[in-house]
Amino acid sequence: MAQNLKIGIVGYPTYGGSGVVATELGKALADKGHEIHFITYSQPVRLGAMRKNVRYHEVNVSDYPLFLYPPYELVLASKMVDVVKYEKLDLLHVHYAIPHASAAITAKQVLAEEGINLPVITTLHGTDITLLGKDASFEPVISFAINKSDAVTAVSQSLRLDTYKLFGINREIEVIPNFVNLENLDRSNSEELKKEYAPNGEKILVHISNFRPVKRVLDVVEIFSRIYLDVPSKLIFVGDGPERSKAEQLCREKNLCEEVIFLGSVKNPTDALKVADLFVLPSESESFGLAALEAMACGVPVISTNTGGLPEVNRHGVTGMMSNVGDVEDMAKNVKYLLSDPARLAKFRVKAVERAAEFSIDKILPQYEALYNSVLETV
Ligand code: GMT
């Protein structure tokens, strides 16, 4: 059985959950002695400083006036071929179906012509399935890339079932959930920082996301507007994206500007969890909810919807509360239920940490290693 492997990891290098999972997985594998080659269009934000066993290969698309759309996927596939051949990689682990899985299958086919067998492992993360699966223009390529991968994982049971429902899949998909690295995550509470945002001892609600429509950030404002007069509190938004200005506008209309803080994109979004009493995630769809898991790991109970994979993470009445999508009245009621009773909140905090520990990286990493080894034994 292979021990230390040379693994190419391809993902989005941004703050999004799939990029965080790809980067943290690579870092943890490198710490265990595997040689990791990140192949992305910019340095993954969570990669941090130079570290042992990690290399980074940037994908640069030249701007030829010939092309209306730069052919990123083809350049990525060529880069994969190059790195696999010259760094002698054992396998590629790609995160997100398009363009990463489809580019990897192209690279696999190119390399096969040269007699090189490239095992491809694809991890499905969420909107690559739940949003793009509803778009007929992507369906044939996504189905093809999934079916031609040597192994496929989904980050929750819910996403696995959605994939079967939305695509023409004729192979097994294994569930390997998101994880949290409890050692790397700064889980300290900061009373000093808390005073800056809540000088009069107000409670703090936090929402962290990319402000895409699927996150329903306006619901966060609606929930807050229903509770802040009863429970003195502040709301901190972390991140940026298409719905931010609408959320700001709604706060202005509701005269909430004194109570709501938009931090924007920050280097370490999870720092906001150090001051949070509750994390609010009213998503329309959420394949897992890594942000919720990270909040729970920091002892912050989660007010969420019950959509997608969230019930596989958040335990209703134990680690947080869940409501139907759009039911802001119920979510506001749940916020009051937790914030009005310090003893109850403290119990939820403890349970949230315990639950998050079930997704600790040392439980999840061996599942990926076992998958790599079983793929290498069969190809
Ligand atoms: O949540 C986002 O919008 C980012 C997105 C991504 O693709 O990076 O996150 C998805 O993947 C995460 C990691 O597996 C999951 O924890 C998120 O639930 C999932 N987002 C959605 O399904 C909306």
Side-chain angles (χ1 to χ4, degrees):
M1 185 183 286
Q3 283 300 311
N4 286 343
L5 301 174
K6 289 184 166 201
I7 303 168
I9 293 193
V10 183
Y12 285 107
T14 55
Y15 286 107
S18 64
V20 170
V21 168
T23 311
E24 294 290 349
L25 176 64
K27 282 158 63 176
L29 288 165
D31 288 347
K32 280 192 84 175
H34 300 287
E35 186 177 299
I36 303 303
H37 293 260
F38 286 102
I39 307 172
T40 57
Y41 58 78
S42 66
Q43 180 165 345
V45 288
R46 286 249 188 139
L47 190 53
M50 195 170 91
R51 53 199 301 142
K52 203 173 156 219
N53 297 332
V54 172
R55 314 270 186 281
Y56 161 55
H57 306 267
E58 192 161 294
V59 183
N60 292 303
V61 186
S62 305
D63 189 16
Y64 294 108
L66 180 67
F67 298 124
L68 183 55
Y69 304 106
Y72 175 70
E73 183 168 348
L74 299 182
V75 181
L76 174 63
S78 294
K79 185 61 131 187
M80 288 170 172
V81 169
D82 186 78
V83 177
V84 169
K85 257 168 87 174
Y86 294 103
E87 300 287 352
K88 304 207 172 355
L89 299 191
D90 293 302
L91 59 92
L92 264 188
H93 185 174
V94 296
H95 295 258
Y96 218 81
I98 53 168
H100 302 145
S102 43
I105 299 306
T106 304
K108 184 180 173 70
Q109 290 168 334
V110 172
L111 287 162
E113 291 292 313
E114 299 186 32
I116 298 170
N117 181 24
L118 169 66
V120 171
I121 288 142
T122 294
T123 290
L124 306 172
H125 281 275
T127 43
D128 45 351
I129 299 304
T130 52
L131 281 189
L132 300 181
K134 294 185 179 116
D135 185 336
S137 50
F138 291 116
E139 191 280 327
V141 174
I142 295 181
S143 294
F144 177 77
I146 292 174
N147 287 329
K148 289 289 177 194
S149 296
D150 294 279
V152 179
T153 75
V155 297
S156 64
Q157 278 298 347
S158 155
L159 183 62
R160 177 177 177 273
L161 295 177
D162 279 342
T163 309
Y164 284 121
K165 213 181 320 158
L166 294 165
F167 295 92
I169 303 304
N170 56 22
R171 50 109 22 83
E172 188 43 52
I173 298 174
E174 188 175 328
V175 174
I176 303 185
N178 283 178
F179 54 81
V180 64
N181 191 328
L182 296 170
E183 275 172 26
N184 287 2
L185 193 64
D186 182 354
R187 299 188 289 149
S188 58
N189 281 346
S190 172
E191 286 309 316
E192 211 177 299
L193 195 59
K194 196 164 185 172
K195 273 195 206 121
E196 273 187 34
Y197 295 108
N200 303 310
E202 295 93 337
K203 297 290 184 195
I204 298 185
L205 282 71
V206 167
H207 171 84
I208 305 174
S209 80
N210 50 21
F211 287 62
R212 286 196 287 164
V214 73
K215 300 294 174 184
R216 294 184 69 101
V217 286
L218 300 186
D219 282 4
V220 181
V221 179
E222 290 293 348
I223 294 163
F224 185 72
S225 71
R226 284 164 173 74
I227 65 107
Y228 81 106
L229 289 176
D230 296 333
V231 186
S233 41
K234 300 280 182 184
L235 168 61
I236 301 181
F237 277 110
V238 185
D240 212 326
E243 299 283 291
R244 174 175 170 172
S245 52
K246 283 187 206 156
E248 285 175 329
Q249 188 55 37
L250 188 59
C251 288
R252 288 169 200 153
E253 281 162 25
K254 289 179 176 284
N255 285 323
L256 291 174
C257 297
E258 290 294 307
E259 280 75 30
V260 182
I261 300 141
F262 287 85
L263 285 187
S265 292
V266 295
K267 193 154 182 265
N268 295 319
T270 50
D271 279 354
L273 298 170
K274 292 178 187 194
V275 301
D277 291 291
L278 287 180
F279 186 74
V280 186
L281 192 63
S283 304
E284 175 94 37
S285 117
E286 198 68 64
S287 68
F288 182 91
L290 180 63
L293 177 62
E294 291 188 324
M296 285 159 55
C298 294
V300 182
V302 173
I303 299 293
S304 75
T305 45
N306 52 16
T307 186
L310 282 169
E312 295 173 47
V313 187
N314 193 10
R315 290 266 188 265
H316 183 73
V318 181
T319 64
M321 307 291 287
M322 288 187 289
S323 310
N324 293 331
V325 173
D327 193 346
V328 291
E329 296 296 342
D330 195 54
M331 287 183 260
K333 194 180 84 200
N334 289 338
V335 170
K336 285 188 206 166
Y337 173 74
L338 287 181
L339 292 186
S340 61
D341 183 338
R344 181 184 293 144
L345 184 63
K347 272 192 206 150
F348 273 70
R349 289 187 89 106
V350 171
K351 291 290 176 195
V353 174
E354 284 173 13
R355 175 77 181 138
E358 292 173 34
F359 297 93
S360 146
I361 189 151
D362 43 85
K363 297 202 168 62
I364 308 300
L365 195 69
Q367 297 180 36
Y368 279 117
E369 286 181 297
L371 182 68
Y372 298 157
N373 287 327
S374 83
V375 165
L376 287 170
E377 275 164 19
T378 52
V379 292

